[in-house]
Amino acid sequence: MKTNGIYVCLNVLPSIELCNLVLTGIPSDKFHITLMYAVGEYDNIFEVENYLNDVLFTRGLPNDMQLIGFESLGKDVDDRAIVALIKSDDLIIIHNELKDKFNLKHSFDDFKAHMTITYGNTDREADTMVKCLNSMIWNNIIFEPLGFKVSTIE
């Protein structure tokens, strides 16, 4: 089956401290870390799903995720996302394996593991929020991995 692209993410549930911060409109069942966003014609979505099932069976879900700060992402000055940046060797390995094993091309230059907190911020709002969030102490924030999700890009 040819698709317009393949999207792979890891659904997560962050610690309550971070959940309280994101009461701004993102439902808790939507928290995720995008592992691959590959736009283009692909016909190997089932192979990707099988690979992730194999990862789950042989390695388990990634469990080395650490909050390292906050940043704003996006090119539109009136539609910036605020994201929690995440350090994880496990996520980097899976991202690279998706590229190498399935010839997927990530739609962004760099893989930056993150969980979106808010959407639709202006540049000024985003800068203020990021400075405020980065000035706070965030100890022991845990990202509980819930499972992989694979879908097509419409």
Side-chain angles (χ1 to χ4, degrees):
M1 172 179 84
K2 287 266 189 208
T3 67
N4 293 325
I6 295 176
Y7 170 74
V8 180
C9 73
L10 174 67
N11 292 323
V12 295
L13 183 61
S15 299
I16 191 69
E17 299 87 353
L18 203 53
C19 285
N20 288 338
L21 174 71
V22 297
L23 292 177
T24 56
I26 297 178
S28 62
D29 66 340
K30 300 292 184 198
F31 294 140
H32 68 275
I33 300 164
T34 299
L35 295 170
M36 179 61 64
Y37 191 86
V39 176
E41 286 192 12
Y42 295 99
D43 60 3
N44 54 356
I45 190 165
F46 298 114
E47 289 88 351
V48 171
E49 288 174 331
N50 288 337
Y51 156 77
L52 291 170
N53 286 332
D54 186 54
V55 166
L56 198 57
F57 182 73
T58 59
R59 296 184 235 169
L61 289 168
N63 62 6
D64 68 339
M65 296 174 280
Q66 297 176 330
L67 175 69
I68 57 171
F70 297 87
E71 188 175 299
S72 69
L73 298 177
K75 295 180 181 175
D76 187 341
V77 296
D78 290 322
D79 189 18
R80 308 281 290 166
I82 308 299
V83 302
L85 297 172
I86 298 165
K87 178 183 175 193
S88 168
D89 291 337
D90 290 347
L91 295 178
I92 292 169
I93 289 168
I94 294 169
H95 172 79
N96 288 333
E97 288 176 349
L98 287 167
K99 285 191 327 187
D100 297 341
K101 290 179 184 291
F102 304 103
N103 206 24
L104 299 179
K105 183 174 177 356
H106 194 50
S107 295
F108 303 95
D109 293 337
D110 298 319
F111 174 62
K112 190 177 285 194
H114 65 276
M115 185 190 84
T116 302
I117 295 173
T118 66
Y119 294 103
N121 304 285
T122 66
D123 254 354
R124 187 174 183 179
E125 292 167 339
D127 288 345
T128 301
M129 288 172 65
V130 166
K131 284 178 188 170
C132 178
L133 289 168
N134 281 326
S135 71
M136 301 168 83
I137 297 171
W138 297 93
N139 291 329
N140 303 317
I141 297 296
I142 296 169
F143 295 90
E144 177 74 28
L146 302 177
F148 295 112
K149 176 183 173 189
V150 180
S151 60
T152 59
I153 298 172
E154 303 302 324

